[in-house]
Amino acid sequence: MKLFVGLGNPGAKYAQNRHNIGFMALDEIASAHGFSPWKSKFQAQVCEGTLGGVKVLLLKPQTFMNLSGQAVGEAMRFYKLTPQDVTVLHDELDLAPGKCRVKQGGGHAGHNGLRSIHSHIGADYNRVRLGIGHPGHKDAVAGYVLRDFPKADEGWLDDLMRGISDGAAALAAGDGGKFMNAVSLRTAPPRSSNTAKPKIDTATTTVAPEPAPDTRSAMEKLVDKFK
């Protein structure tokens, strides 16, 4: 079994906050892949399903961000999982909006949800970092992450969520490269290399006739030049 953890804060007040992008990603996966209904367990909302033949538990801690690790630790102990079985999807200030990166292990970079998970299960879990951009000054971070995504962000946010869902099976299989490819196909689809040439409507277009070949001799050309 694999455990996918989405980070966020519980309740309608926070549902559309930038800080809740991890919750949004799990909701998209659950909906698109026919997971079981959400239920309360491990101080969290959980649901189960399979992705590419791998059993996966989706978990959204309901303890508020700063205590997210409590729910993760409980679920890990119950299913006898290791940190390598856990993938945490979370908001990332240091990535541009709509960008996505996969990472294994490392620090928490001051993210309170990750800090809590570190304290309960260590640092050797997998992360999916979901870019939300930075407000520009550290003093503005708290207000920024706890505000809703603006209307202007709906396009890239929807593409990112769909891409994560498309690549969810690869993520469960531990294939980060294939997962990132699936996300990229949604967020940065390749452009066609074949540039279509404009068609000419011969029925309405007048084509100038080619000039007749010059059959004059060199002497005749020279004489004509001085006329």
Side-chain angles (χ1 to χ4, degrees):
M1 172 184 275
K2 299 296 181 181
L3 176 62
F4 286 4
V5 179
L7 294 187
N9 288 309
K13 175 182 176 181
Y14 302 100
Q16 300 303 314
N17 283 183
R18 293 183 176 94
H19 222 17
N20 275 43
I21 194 171
F23 276 14
M24 296 175 193
L26 292 200
D27 286 338
E28 182 70 24
I29 292 172
S31 175
H33 294 278
F35 273 55
S36 67
W38 292 96
K39 62 181 180 180
S40 296
K41 194 174 184 180
F42 311 124
Q43 303 182 69
Q45 287 290 305
V46 300
C47 67
E48 296 181 5
T50 57
L51 295 169
V54 178
K55 187 175 182 181
V56 177
L57 180 75
L58 305 182
L59 182 144
K60 299 188 295 185
Q62 300 295 291
T63 52
F64 286 93
M65 186 68 79
N66 294 7
L67 301 175
S68 298
Q70 293 179 4
V72 179
E74 281 190 37
M76 272 187 61
R77 288 189 294 272
F78 183 85
Y79 290 106
K80 297 180 173 59
L81 303 176
T82 68
Q84 289 74 30
D85 296 320
V86 178
T87 298
V88 179
L89 296 89
H90 65 90
D91 56 305
E92 177 58 72
L93 289 163
D94 293 331
L95 285 179
K99 297 296 183 183
C100 174
R101 296 290 183 271
V102 177
K103 180 181 179 182
Q104 200 280 322
H108 54 67
H111 190 292
N112 288 331
L114 298 184
R115 190 197 307 272
S116 177
I117 293 172
H118 271 52
S119 70
H120 283 268
I121 72 170
D124 296 329
Y125 55 91
N126 305 292
R127 304 98 186 271
V128 176
R129 305 163 63 216
L130 305 174
I132 61 169
H134 198 287
H137 195 283
K138 64 180 182 179
D139 292 341
V141 166
Y144 178 77
V145 299
L146 292 176
R147 280 198 294 271
D148 288 358
F149 282 105
K151 289 283 187 183
D153 287 353
E154 288 180 357
W156 69 254
L157 184 59
D158 183 63
D159 288 341
L160 179 60
M161 295 298 100
R162 290 174 184 272
I164 291 169
S165 178
D166 292 346
L171 192 63
D175 192 337
K178 190 173 181 180
F179 168 75
M180 287 300 302
N181 285 341
V183 174
S184 294
L185 286 173
R186 288 284 189 177
T187 59
R191 295 179 179 178
S192 173
S193 59
N194 298 321
T195 303
K197 295 181 179 179
K199 294 182 178 179
I200 298 175
D201 186 348
T202 55
T204 58
T205 302
T206 302
V207 179
E210 292 186 8
D214 190 347
T215 59
R216 294 174 300 165
S217 67
M219 182 58 72
E220 289 174 327
K221 291 179 182 178
L222 183 62
V223 172
D224 288 344
K225 186 175 181 181
F226 290 97
K227 283 184 178 178

